[in-house]
Amino acid sequence: QLACPLDLGCHSVRKGGTQECLLLRTCSLKLSPSLLAKVSARPRRADKLSMHYVGTLLGGPRDGSKFDSSRDRGKPFQFVLGVGQVIKGWDEGLQGAVVGERRKLTIPADMGYGARGYPPIIPPNSTLVFDTEVLKIE
């Protein structure tokens, strides 16, 4: 295991041409080596992020099915980091993200919509996968 290249307090392993960081138990970050050299200002709690994402389900009968996408709408999603405006997996998994970075967040149910889900879109106890891209940090 290597130290996390973004200094997020996690561990990482090199797989193929990517660095995979395991941040707590909430996400799996896929970073290309060229991106690692371009790390700039990182967001802090209460910073506003503008980003694109595609959300899919992991496991179950709808495995891999897309349930939401800001890209499909053609409009970036905006939220304030770390204040509970989004699911916990996003608040924790996007800490340390930089503009232009793409992260794949794999979020267990307890860090997403939990036992209640988000009917009829997200079944109860669903693991969610988000392909995210940070566009702007304010």
Side-chain angles (χ1 to χ4, degrees):
Q1 287 191 346
L2 307 167
C4 178
L6 295 181
D7 192 27
L8 299 175
C10 61
H11 299 286
S12 66
V13 293
R14 188 158 305 278
K15 289 186 176 180
T18 65
Q19 185 91 0
E20 182 175 321
C21 293
L22 303 176
L23 173 61
L24 304 173
R25 59 188 173 86
T26 61
C27 65
S28 175
L29 312 178
K30 306 258 186 213
L31 307 174
S32 68
S34 60
L35 176 62
L36 297 176
K38 298 178 183 177
V39 172
S40 60
R42 298 178 187 146
R44 295 176 298 202
R45 185 179 188 279
D47 281 349
K48 185 178 186 180
L49 272 64
S50 178
M51 57 193 308
H52 272 306
Y53 69 90
V54 176
T56 57
L57 298 172
L58 180 64
R62 293 176 47 203
D63 184 40
S65 65
K66 180 170 38 175
F67 60 83
D68 194 15
S69 172
S70 66
R71 290 186 184 284
D72 290 352
R73 288 189 297 278
K75 182 177 179 186
F77 177 69
Q78 296 182 338
F79 71 99
V80 178
L81 183 67
V83 298
Q85 288 185 349
V86 293
I87 59 175
K88 191 173 182 180
W90 272 43
D91 268 344
E92 291 188 19
L94 292 168
Q95 292 178 27
V98 296
V99 173
E101 179 180 349
R102 290 186 77 156
R103 284 190 180 186
K104 180 180 177 183
L105 306 179
T106 301
I107 301 174
D110 65 328
M111 303 292 283
Y113 293 97
R116 71 187 185 320
Y118 193 81
I121 300 165
I122 299 172
N125 299 310
S126 291
T127 297
L128 311 174
V129 177
F130 288 93
D131 173 16
T132 66
E133 179 182 9
V134 179
L135 304 173
K136 187 174 171 184
I137 301 170
E138 297 177 44

